[in-house]
Amino acid sequence: MPVTVEVAQPGFVTSVEALRLRSWQLGPGQPTLVTDQFTDAEFKLVVDDRADVHVNSKDGRFYLGWFPTGRPGTDGEGWVIAVTGTAKTRGYRMSFDTETPADIVAAAVAQVLATSQSL
């Protein structure tokens, strides 16, 4: 008995409505959306002589850096989020450029903080 297979056309199927232009959030936005997520009880905030902002967890395993004019030695790196690993598990690091909307960085920070646990 022969088997019939329906083959779809390759590529995307779209409509005129789907092709209309969209508006995307652009520009750095308000960095306080990111920095306001941290409390003095658990984190230390330092503003250095270049006006770069550094946030560290009191245990030293979390780091956030905000470099409004770009991190020195990089090509426009504006935000750095890093979590130090343990002896058994590697840590991680992510970065965003200076034009990444603060809302996007704030969402990433919120998720990282939500996954942290007190020991």
Side-chain angles (χ1 to χ4, degrees), residues 33-54:
L33 293 172
V34 178
T35 57
D36 284 353
Q37 296 183 69
F38 301 99
T39 64
D40 287 339
E42 296 184 57
F43 298 90
K44 182 174 180 171
L45 184 139
V46 173
V47 179
D48 67 18
D49 61 341
R50 286 180 19 101
D52 296 334
V53 176
H54 308 274

Side-chain angles (χ1 to χ4, degrees), residues 17-118:
E17 184 63 33
L19 294 174
R20 296 194 194 285
L21 291 178
R22 298 178 62 101
S23 173
W24 297 93
Q25 183 178 7
L26 299 172
Q30 294 296 320
T32 55
L33 293 172
V34 178
T35 57
D36 284 353
Q37 296 183 69
F38 301 99
T39 64
D40 287 339
E42 296 184 57
F43 298 90
K44 182 174 180 171
L45 184 139
V46 173
V47 179
D48 67 18
D49 61 341
R50 286 180 19 101
D52 296 334
V53 176
H54 308 274
V55 177
N56 292 291
S57 60
K58 298 249 175 147
D59 68 359
R61 295 199 43 221
F62 173 87
Y63 171 78
L64 169 86
W66 176 51
F67 307 91
T69 59
R71 184 168 177 236
T74 68
D75 186 23
E77 187 175 64
W79 295 93
V80 173
I81 301 168
V83 176
T84 303
T86 65
K88 294 181 180 181
T89 308
R90 290 177 44 171
Y92 58 91
R93 179 186 188 281
M94 60 186 107
S95 65
F96 303 89
D97 68 26
T98 57
E99 292 301 309
T100 301
D103 298 55
I104 304 297
V105 179
V109 166
Q111 188 61 36
V112 170
L113 293 176
T115 62
S116 69
Q117 300 174 3
S118 295

